[in-house]
Amino acid sequence: MCKAVVYVTLRQSVLDPQGHAVKGALHTLGFDEVKDVRIGKYMELELDTADRAQAEERVRAMCEKLLANTVIEDYRFDIVEG
Amino acid sequence: MCKAVVYVTLRQSVLDPQGHAVKGALHTLGFDEVKDVRIGKYMELELDTADRAQAEERVRAMCEKLLANTVIEDYRFDIVEG
């Protein structure tokens, strides 16, 4: 068993309306020092694989096929155990 | 300026229907080694603060008040620059 942690973020050139809304809400609450907010996804995957190199290859394929929309999103991942 | 990276995850005892759906989709695509998926949020905040200790305190307050629902979610954060 090993665990993969995947981070999916919007590309810098893509507008982030969710982040914009959160920034506005933080300002309303008095957190005026917040200059920008970008929101992404964080995923933890438990994999039934012992081979770390194979796990990396498979997680990359998962990101390309399903977990990230590579037109507007970047992804990175770490294999944290195994 | 410093940057805070915030991770918000569902508590282990809370069901994650989104993660369950992603696991099903990965199985459909042939990634049968995926045993569990948990989905959380990843946020990057740009802060106009030079004082790291103060930034930590403020980001903790932001998490408690807005960024995480502490009834069902855990949060952690890193101050990565500044």
Side-chain angles (χ1 to χ4, degrees), chain A residues 20-52:
Chain A
H20 192 79
V22 168
K23 185 176 82 168
L26 286 170
H27 285 184
T28 305
L29 290 171
F31 297 107
D32 295 315
E33 72 267 45
V34 179
K35 294 301 162 205
D36 194 31
V37 179
R38 305 281 293 175
I39 297 189
K41 278 170 283 182
Y42 168 86
M43 288 172 259
E44 293 178 350
L45 282 70
E46 300 250 342
L47 304 174
D48 190 10
T49 319
D51 182 342
R52 196 189 176 93

PDB file of all heavy atoms in Angstrom, chain A residues 20-52:
ATOM      1  N   HIS A  20     -11.570  34.680  -5.789  1.00  0.00           N
ATOM      2  CA  HIS A  20     -11.943  36.087  -5.716  1.00  0.00           C
ATOM      3  C   HIS A  20     -13.037  36.285  -4.662  1.00  0.00           C
ATOM      4  O   HIS A  20     -12.988  37.230  -3.862  1.00  0.00           O
ATOM      5  CB  HIS A  20     -12.419  36.543  -7.098  1.00  0.00           C
ATOM      6  CG  HIS A  20     -12.549  38.018  -7.222  1.00  0.00           C
ATOM      7  ND1 HIS A  20     -11.451  38.838  -7.419  1.00  0.00           N
ATOM      8  CD2 HIS A  20     -13.625  38.826  -7.157  1.00  0.00           C
ATOM      9  CE1 HIS A  20     -11.867  40.097  -7.470  1.00  0.00           C
ATOM     10  NE2 HIS A  20     -13.181  40.111  -7.316  1.00  0.00           N
ATOM     11  N   ALA A  21     -14.014  35.378  -4.651  1.00  0.00           N
ATOM     12  CA  ALA A  21     -15.107  35.474  -3.679  1.00  0.00           C
ATOM     13  C   ALA A  21     -14.590  35.288  -2.255  1.00  0.00           C
ATOM     14  O   ALA A  21     -15.004  35.993  -1.330  1.00  0.00           O
ATOM     15  CB  ALA A  21     -16.172  34.428  -4.005  1.00  0.00           C
ATOM     16  N   VAL A  22     -13.660  34.342  -2.086  1.00  0.00           N
ATOM     17  CA  VAL A  22     -13.105  34.102  -0.744  1.00  0.00           C
ATOM     18  C   VAL A  22     -12.309  35.320  -0.284  1.00  0.00           C
ATOM     19  O   VAL A  22     -12.391  35.731   0.878  1.00  0.00           O
ATOM     20  CB  VAL A  22     -12.240  32.822  -0.739  1.00  0.00           C
ATOM     21  CG1 VAL A  22     -11.430  32.712   0.541  1.00  0.00           C
ATOM     22  CG2 VAL A  22     -13.127  31.587  -0.911  1.00  0.00           C
ATOM     23  N   LYS A  23     -11.557  35.923  -1.197  1.00  0.00           N
ATOM     24  CA  LYS A  23     -10.810  37.140  -0.852  1.00  0.00           C
ATOM     25  C   LYS A  23     -11.774  38.230  -0.382  1.00  0.00           C
ATOM     26  O   LYS A  23     -11.534  38.878   0.648  1.00  0.00           O
ATOM     27  CB  LYS A  23      -9.995  37.625  -2.052  1.00  0.00           C
ATOM     28  CG  LYS A  23      -9.103  38.805  -1.715  1.00  0.00           C
ATOM     29  CD  LYS A  23      -8.236  39.203  -2.886  1.00  0.00           C
ATOM     30  CE  LYS A  23      -8.992  40.087  -3.853  1.00  0.00           C
ATOM     31  NZ  LYS A  23      -8.113  40.723  -4.854  1.00  0.00           N
ATOM     32  N   GLY A  24     -12.873  38.409  -1.106  1.00  0.00           N
ATOM     33  CA  GLY A  24     -13.865  39.411  -0.704  1.00  0.00           C
ATOM     34  C   GLY A  24     -14.434  39.125   0.672  1.00  0.00           C
ATOM     35  O   GLY A  24     -14.588  40.031   1.505  1.00  0.00           O
ATOM     36  N   ALA A  25     -14.723  37.852   0.938  1.00  0.00           N
ATOM     37  CA  ALA A  25     -15.282  37.478   2.245  1.00  0.00           C
ATOM     38  C   ALA A  25     -14.265  37.721   3.363  1.00  0.00           C
ATOM     39  O   ALA A  25     -14.621  38.191   4.452  1.00  0.00           O
ATOM     40  CB  ALA A  25     -15.701  36.010   2.214  1.00  0.00           C
ATOM     41  N   LEU A  26     -12.989  37.440   3.092  1.00  0.00           N
ATOM     42  CA  LEU A  26     -11.946  37.680   4.107  1.00  0.00           C
ATOM     43  C   LEU A  26     -11.819  39.172   4.389  1.00  0.00           C
ATOM     44  O   LEU A  26     -11.656  39.584   5.549  1.00  0.00           O
ATOM     45  CB  LEU A  26     -10.608  37.093   3.642  1.00  0.00           C
ATOM     46  CG  LEU A  26     -10.509  35.562   3.697  1.00  0.00           C
ATOM     47  CD1 LEU A  26      -9.249  35.069   2.987  1.00  0.00           C
ATOM     48  CD2 LEU A  26     -10.512  35.054   5.143  1.00  0.00           C
ATOM     49  N   HIS A  27     -11.910  39.995   3.337  1.00  0.00           N
ATOM     50  CA  HIS A  27     -11.852  41.447   3.550  1.00  0.00           C
ATOM     51  C   HIS A  27     -13.032  41.909   4.409  1.00  0.00           C
ATOM     52  O   HIS A  27     -12.870  42.717   5.309  1.00  0.00           O
ATOM     53  CB  HIS A  27     -11.839  42.184   2.207  1.00  0.00           C
ATOM     54  CG  HIS A  27     -10.521  42.102   1.505  1.00  0.00           C
ATOM     55  ND1 HIS A  27     -10.258  42.751   0.322  1.00  0.00           N
ATOM     56  CD2 HIS A  27      -9.374  41.452   1.822  1.00  0.00           C
ATOM     57  CE1 HIS A  27      -9.014  42.491  -0.051  1.00  0.00           C
ATOM     58  NE2 HIS A  27      -8.458  41.708   0.826  1.00  0.00           N
ATOM     59  N   THR A  28     -14.207  41.369   4.113  1.00  0.00           N
ATOM     60  CA  THR A  28     -15.399  41.724   4.894  1.00  0.00           C
ATOM     61  C   THR A  28     -15.206  41.385   6.372  1.00  0.00           C
ATOM     62  O   THR A  28     -15.707  42.087   7.257  1.00  0.00           O
ATOM     63  CB  THR A  28     -16.633  40.971   4.346  1.00  0.00           C
ATOM     64  OG1 THR A  28     -16.739  41.267   2.957  1.00  0.00           O
ATOM     65  CG2 THR A  28     -17.911  41.381   5.059  1.00  0.00           C
ATOM     66  N   LEU A  29     -14.477  40.308   6.630  1.00  0.00           N
ATOM     67  CA  LEU A  29     -14.220  39.893   8.015  1.00  0.00           C
ATOM     68  C   LEU A  29     -13.059  40.657   8.651  1.00  0.00           C
ATOM     69  O   LEU A  29     -12.687  40.391   9.792  1.00  0.00           O
ATOM     70  CB  LEU A  29     -13.913  38.384   8.053  1.00  0.00           C
ATOM     71  CG  LEU A  29     -15.098  37.452   7.767  1.00  0.00           C
ATOM     72  CD1 LEU A  29     -14.605  36.014   7.609  1.00  0.00           C
ATOM     73  CD2 LEU A  29     -16.125  37.527   8.893  1.00  0.00           C
ATOM     74  N   GLY A  30     -12.454  41.566   7.894  1.00  0.00           N
ATOM     75  CA  GLY A  30     -11.396  42.391   8.473  1.00  0.00           C
ATOM     76  C   GLY A  30      -9.980  41.920   8.158  1.00  0.00           C
ATOM     77  O   GLY A  30      -9.010  42.499   8.649  1.00  0.00           O
ATOM     78  N   PHE A  31      -9.845  40.893   7.334  1.00  0.00           N
ATOM     79  CA  PHE A  31      -8.501  40.405   6.982  1.00  0.00           C
ATOM     80  C   PHE A  31      -8.006  41.143   5.732  1.00  0.00           C
ATOM     81  O   PHE A  31      -7.882  40.568   4.642  1.00  0.00           O
ATOM     82  CB  PHE A  31      -8.526  38.890   6.752  1.00  0.00           C
ATOM     83  CG  PHE A  31      -8.892  38.099   7.962  1.00  0.00           C
ATOM     84  CD1 PHE A  31     -10.129  37.481   8.081  1.00  0.00           C
ATOM     85  CD2 PHE A  31      -7.995  37.960   9.012  1.00  0.00           C
ATOM     86  CE1 PHE A  31     -10.468  36.752   9.208  1.00  0.00           C
ATOM     87  CE2 PHE A  31      -8.330  37.229  10.151  1.00  0.00           C
ATOM     88  CZ  PHE A  31      -9.563  36.632  10.252  1.00  0.00           C
ATOM     89  N   ASP A  32      -7.711  42.413   5.921  1.00  0.00           N
ATOM     90  CA  ASP A  32      -7.385  43.260   4.768  1.00  0.00           C
ATOM     91  C   ASP A  32      -6.006  42.984   4.196  1.00  0.00           C
ATOM     92  O   ASP A  32      -5.680  43.482   3.111  1.00  0.00           O
ATOM     93  CB  ASP A  32      -7.484  44.740   5.183  1.00  0.00           C
ATOM     94  CG  ASP A  32      -8.914  45.115   5.537  1.00  0.00           C
ATOM     95  OD1 ASP A  32      -9.822  44.738   4.779  1.00  0.00           O
ATOM     96  OD2 ASP A  32      -9.113  45.756   6.583  1.00  0.00           O
ATOM     97  N   GLU A  33      -5.181  42.246   4.921  1.00  0.00           N
ATOM     98  CA  GLU A  33      -3.834  41.958   4.410  1.00  0.00           C
ATOM     99  C   GLU A  33      -3.824  40.907   3.304  1.00  0.00           C
ATOM    100  O   GLU A  33      -2.783  40.673   2.689  1.00  0.00           O
ATOM    101  CB  GLU A  33      -2.911  41.522   5.550  1.00  0.00           C
ATOM    102  CG  GLU A  33      -3.177  40.120   6.110  1.00  0.00           C
ATOM    103  CD  GLU A  33      -4.122  40.140   7.304  1.00  0.00           C
ATOM    104  OE1 GLU A  33      -5.152  40.857   7.236  1.00  0.00           O
ATOM    105  OE2 GLU A  33      -3.824  39.444   8.286  1.00  0.00           O
ATOM    106  N   VAL A  34      -4.986  40.285   3.041  1.00  0.00           N
ATOM    107  CA  VAL A  34      -5.035  39.251   1.999  1.00  0.00           C
ATOM    108  C   VAL A  34      -5.087  39.910   0.630  1.00  0.00           C
ATOM    109  O   VAL A  34      -6.029  40.630   0.315  1.00  0.00           O
ATOM    110  CB  VAL A  34      -6.272  38.339   2.205  1.00  0.00           C
ATOM    111  CG1 VAL A  34      -6.336  37.283   1.114  1.00  0.00           C
ATOM    112  CG2 VAL A  34      -6.227  37.690   3.572  1.00  0.00           C
ATOM    113  N   LYS A  35      -4.049  39.685  -0.180  1.00  0.00           N
ATOM    114  CA  LYS A  35      -3.960  40.350  -1.477  1.00  0.00           C
ATOM    115  C   LYS A  35      -4.468  39.465  -2.605  1.00  0.00           C
ATOM    116  O   LYS A  35      -4.898  39.957  -3.638  1.00  0.00           O
ATOM    117  CB  LYS A  35      -2.502  40.758  -1.764  1.00  0.00           C
ATOM    118  CG  LYS A  35      -1.992  41.825  -0.816  1.00  0.00           C
ATOM    119  CD  LYS A  35      -2.853  43.087  -0.887  1.00  0.00           C
ATOM    120  CE  LYS A  35      -2.631  43.971   0.330  1.00  0.00           C
ATOM    121  NZ  LYS A  35      -3.765  44.845   0.631  1.00  0.00           N
ATOM    122  N   ASP A  36      -4.370  38.171  -2.433  1.00  0.00           N
ATOM    123  CA  ASP A  36      -4.845  37.272  -3.485  1.00  0.00           C
ATOM    124  C   ASP A  36      -5.129  35.906  -2.873  1.00  0.00           C
ATOM    125  O   ASP A  36      -4.467  35.487  -1.916  1.00  0.00           O
ATOM    126  CB  ASP A  36      -3.783  37.140  -4.584  1.00  0.00           C
ATOM    127  CG  ASP A  36      -4.351  36.501  -5.846  1.00  0.00           C
ATOM    128  OD1 ASP A  36      -5.546  36.687  -6.117  1.00  0.00           O
ATOM    129  OD2 ASP A  36      -3.592  35.806  -6.550  1.00  0.00           O
ATOM    130  N   VAL A  37      -6.147  35.237  -3.418  1.00  0.00           N
ATOM    131  CA  VAL A  37      -6.471  33.873  -3.001  1.00  0.00           C
ATOM    132  C   VAL A  37      -6.644  33.031  -4.257  1.00  0.00           C
ATOM    133  O   VAL A  37      -7.328  33.447  -5.195  1.00  0.00           O
ATOM    134  CB  VAL A  37      -7.785  33.825  -2.174  1.00  0.00           C
ATOM    135  CG1 VAL A  37      -8.113  32.400  -1.761  1.00  0.00           C
ATOM    136  CG2 VAL A  37      -7.705  34.722  -0.946  1.00  0.00           C
ATOM    137  N   ARG A  38      -6.003  31.893  -4.291  1.00  0.00           N
ATOM    138  CA  ARG A  38      -6.189  30.934  -5.388  1.00  0.00           C
ATOM    139  C   ARG A  38      -6.621  29.624  -4.747  1.00  0.00           C
ATOM    140  O   ARG A  38      -6.026  29.181  -3.758  1.00  0.00           O
ATOM    141  CB  ARG A  38      -4.890  30.670  -6.152  1.00  0.00           C
ATOM    142  CG  ARG A  38      -4.209  31.895  -6.701  1.00  0.00           C
ATOM    143  CD  ARG A  38      -4.791  32.425  -7.955  1.00  0.00           C
ATOM    144  NE  ARG A  38      -4.619  31.543  -9.099  1.00  0.00           N
ATOM    145  CZ  ARG A  38      -5.152  31.799 -10.301  1.00  0.00           C
ATOM    146  NH1 ARG A  38      -5.880  32.878 -10.498  1.00  0.00           N
ATOM    147  NH2 ARG A  38      -4.973  30.973 -11.304  1.00  0.00           N
ATOM    148  N   ILE A  39      -7.645  29.015  -5.306  1.00  0.00           N
ATOM    149  CA  ILE A  39      -8.181  27.796  -4.706  1.00  0.00           C
ATOM    150  C   ILE A  39      -7.972  26.609  -5.636  1.00  0.00           C
ATOM    151  O   ILE A  39      -8.208  26.707  -6.837  1.00  0.00           O
ATOM    152  CB  ILE A  39      -9.674  27.990  -4.347  1.00  0.00           C
ATOM    153  CG1 ILE A  39      -9.743  29.097  -3.282  1.00  0.00           C
ATOM    154  CG2 ILE A  39     -10.300  26.694  -3.848  1.00  0.00           C
ATOM    155  CD1 ILE A  39     -11.082  29.283  -2.659  1.00  0.00           C
ATOM    156  N   GLY A  40      -7.515  25.534  -5.062  1.00  0.00           N
ATOM    157  CA  GLY A  40      -7.299  24.321  -5.839  1.00  0.00           C
ATOM    158  C   GLY A  40      -7.861  23.113  -5.112  1.00  0.00           C
ATOM    159  O   GLY A  40      -8.578  23.243  -4.118  1.00  0.00           O
ATOM    160  N   LYS A  41      -7.546  21.944  -5.630  1.00  0.00           N
ATOM    161  CA  LYS A  41      -8.019  20.708  -5.021  1.00  0.00           C
ATOM    162  C   LYS A  41      -6.854  19.923  -4.458  1.00  0.00           C
ATOM    163  O   LYS A  41      -5.731  19.995  -4.962  1.00  0.00           O
ATOM    164  CB  LYS A  41      -8.737  19.849  -6.068  1.00  0.00           C
ATOM    165  CG  LYS A  41     -10.174  20.265  -6.297  1.00  0.00           C
ATOM    166  CD  LYS A  41     -10.760  19.563  -7.490  1.00  0.00           C
ATOM    167  CE  LYS A  41     -10.278  20.193  -8.775  1.00  0.00           C
ATOM    168  NZ  LYS A  41     -10.852  19.585  -9.981  1.00  0.00           N
ATOM    169  N   TYR A  42      -7.157  19.194  -3.408  1.00  0.00           N
ATOM    170  CA  TYR A  42      -6.164  18.389  -2.709  1.00  0.00           C
ATOM    171  C   TYR A  42      -6.763  16.996  -2.600  1.00  0.00           C
ATOM    172  O   TYR A  42      -7.901  16.865  -2.138  1.00  0.00           O
ATOM    173  CB  TYR A  42      -5.959  19.031  -1.340  1.00  0.00           C
ATOM    174  CG  TYR A  42      -5.184  18.217  -0.358  1.00  0.00           C
ATOM    175  CD1 TYR A  42      -3.794  18.274  -0.346  1.00  0.00           C
ATOM    176  CD2 TYR A  42      -5.822  17.408   0.571  1.00  0.00           C
ATOM    177  CE1 TYR A  42      -3.077  17.524   0.569  1.00  0.00           C
ATOM    178  CE2 TYR A  42      -5.107  16.667   1.492  1.00  0.00           C
ATOM    179  CZ  TYR A  42      -3.739  16.733   1.480  1.00  0.00           C
ATOM    180  OH  TYR A  42      -3.025  15.998   2.380  1.00  0.00           O
ATOM    181  N   MET A  43      -6.076  15.994  -3.096  1.00  0.00           N
ATOM    182  CA  MET A  43      -6.636  14.634  -3.075  1.00  0.00           C
ATOM    183  C   MET A  43      -5.647  13.655  -2.472  1.00  0.00           C
ATOM    184  O   MET A  43      -4.444  13.720  -2.768  1.00  0.00           O
ATOM    185  CB  MET A  43      -6.947  14.187  -4.506  1.00  0.00           C
ATOM    186  CG  MET A  43      -8.149  14.911  -5.079  1.00  0.00           C
ATOM    187  SD  MET A  43      -8.384  14.563  -6.835  1.00  0.00           S
ATOM    188  CE  MET A  43      -7.683  16.031  -7.526  1.00  0.00           C
ATOM    189  N   GLU A  44      -6.160  12.793  -1.634  1.00  0.00           N
ATOM    190  CA  GLU A  44      -5.342  11.715  -1.076  1.00  0.00           C
ATOM    191  C   GLU A  44      -5.854  10.396  -1.647  1.00  0.00           C
ATOM    192  O   GLU A  44      -7.040  10.082  -1.503  1.00  0.00           O
ATOM    193  CB  GLU A  44      -5.457  11.688   0.446  1.00  0.00           C
ATOM    194  CG  GLU A  44      -4.832  12.907   1.093  1.00  0.00           C
ATOM    195  CD  GLU A  44      -4.975  12.906   2.612  1.00  0.00           C
ATOM    196  OE1 GLU A  44      -5.728  12.045   3.125  1.00  0.00           O
ATOM    197  OE2 GLU A  44      -4.349  13.742   3.260  1.00  0.00           O
ATOM    198  N   LEU A  45      -4.979   9.652  -2.286  1.00  0.00           N
ATOM    199  CA  LEU A  45      -5.347   8.369  -2.894  1.00  0.00           C
ATOM    200  C   LEU A  45      -4.598   7.249  -2.200  1.00  0.00           C
ATOM    201  O   LEU A  45      -3.365   7.313  -2.086  1.00  0.00           O
ATOM    202  CB  LEU A  45      -4.968   8.346  -4.377  1.00  0.00           C
ATOM    203  CG  LEU A  45      -5.867   9.077  -5.377  1.00  0.00           C
ATOM    204  CD1 LEU A  45      -5.751  10.573  -5.204  1.00  0.00           C
ATOM    205  CD2 LEU A  45      -5.499   8.692  -6.799  1.00  0.00           C
ATOM    206  N   GLU A  46      -5.321   6.256  -1.750  1.00  0.00           N
ATOM    207  CA  GLU A  46      -4.683   5.039  -1.218  1.00  0.00           C
ATOM    208  C   GLU A  46      -4.551   4.050  -2.354  1.00  0.00           C
ATOM    209  O   GLU A  46      -5.552   3.716  -3.005  1.00  0.00           O
ATOM    210  CB  GLU A  46      -5.545   4.405  -0.129  1.00  0.00           C
ATOM    211  CG  GLU A  46      -5.802   5.276   1.046  1.00  0.00           C
ATOM    212  CD  GLU A  46      -5.070   4.796   2.289  1.00  0.00           C
ATOM    213  OE1 GLU A  46      -4.645   3.630   2.329  1.00  0.00           O
ATOM    214  OE2 GLU A  46      -4.916   5.609   3.201  1.00  0.00           O
ATOM    215  N   LEU A  47      -3.339   3.607  -2.583  1.00  0.00           N
ATOM    216  CA  LEU A  47      -3.099   2.714  -3.724  1.00  0.00           C
ATOM    217  C   LEU A  47      -2.603   1.363  -3.234  1.00  0.00           C
ATOM    218  O   LEU A  47      -1.732   1.299  -2.359  1.00  0.00           O
ATOM    219  CB  LEU A  47      -2.032   3.319  -4.641  1.00  0.00           C
ATOM    220  CG  LEU A  47      -2.305   4.714  -5.180  1.00  0.00           C
ATOM    221  CD1 LEU A  47      -1.090   5.219  -5.931  1.00  0.00           C
ATOM    222  CD2 LEU A  47      -3.521   4.708  -6.072  1.00  0.00           C
ATOM    223  N   ASP A  48      -3.115   0.328  -3.826  1.00  0.00           N
ATOM    224  CA  ASP A  48      -2.690  -1.031  -3.492  1.00  0.00           C
ATOM    225  C   ASP A  48      -1.528  -1.412  -4.410  1.00  0.00           C
ATOM    226  O   ASP A  48      -1.658  -2.273  -5.269  1.00  0.00           O
ATOM    227  CB  ASP A  48      -3.885  -1.968  -3.674  1.00  0.00           C
ATOM    228  CG  ASP A  48      -3.595  -3.350  -3.110  1.00  0.00           C
ATOM    229  OD1 ASP A  48      -2.571  -3.499  -2.428  1.00  0.00           O
ATOM    230  OD2 ASP A  48      -4.405  -4.254  -3.362  1.00  0.00           O
ATOM    231  N   THR A  49      -0.434  -0.700  -4.248  1.00  0.00           N
ATOM    232  CA  THR A  49       0.752  -0.917  -5.077  1.00  0.00           C
ATOM    233  C   THR A  49       1.966  -0.821  -4.175  1.00  0.00           C
ATOM    234  O   THR A  49       2.032   0.088  -3.341  1.00  0.00           O
ATOM    235  CB  THR A  49       0.899   0.200  -6.143  1.00  0.00           C
ATOM    236  OG1 THR A  49      -0.377   0.490  -6.683  1.00  0.00           O
ATOM    237  CG2 THR A  49       1.864  -0.181  -7.222  1.00  0.00           C
ATOM    238  N   ALA A  50       2.910  -1.694  -4.349  1.00  0.00           N
ATOM    239  CA  ALA A  50       4.122  -1.620  -3.543  1.00  0.00           C
ATOM    240  C   ALA A  50       5.229  -0.895  -4.293  1.00  0.00           C
ATOM    241  O   ALA A  50       6.134  -0.320  -3.695  1.00  0.00           O
ATOM    242  CB  ALA A  50       4.580  -3.026  -3.163  1.00  0.00           C
ATOM    243  N   ASP A  51       5.138  -0.897  -5.616  1.00  0.00           N
ATOM    244  CA  ASP A  51       6.205  -0.349  -6.455  1.00  0.00           C
ATOM    245  C   ASP A  51       6.013   1.152  -6.630  1.00  0.00           C
ATOM    246  O   ASP A  51       5.068   1.602  -7.271  1.00  0.00           O
ATOM    247  CB  ASP A  51       6.152  -1.069  -7.804  1.00  0.00           C
ATOM    248  CG  ASP A  51       7.252  -0.611  -8.743  1.00  0.00           C
ATOM    249  OD1 ASP A  51       7.841   0.466  -8.513  1.00  0.00           O
ATOM    250  OD2 ASP A  51       7.520  -1.333  -9.711  1.00  0.00           O
ATOM    251  N   ARG A  52       6.935   1.903  -6.079  1.00  0.00           N
ATOM    252  CA  ARG A  52       6.801   3.358  -6.088  1.00  0.00           C
ATOM    253  C   ARG A  52       6.851   3.946  -7.499  1.00  0.00           C
ATOM    254  O   ARG A  52       6.071   4.839  -7.835  1.00  0.00           O
ATOM    255  CB  ARG A  52       7.958   3.924  -5.254  1.00  0.00           C
ATOM    256  CG  ARG A  52       7.772   5.350  -4.835  1.00  0.00           C
ATOM    257  CD  ARG A  52       9.062   5.867  -4.202  1.00  0.00           C
ATOM    258  NE  ARG A  52       8.905   7.275  -3.886  1.00  0.00           N
ATOM    259  CZ  ARG A  52       8.494   7.742  -2.730  1.00  0.00           C
ATOM    260  NH1 ARG A  52       8.201   6.910  -1.745  1.00  0.00           N
ATOM    261  NH2 ARG A  52       8.378   9.040  -2.531  1.00  0.00           N
TER     262      ARG A  52
END
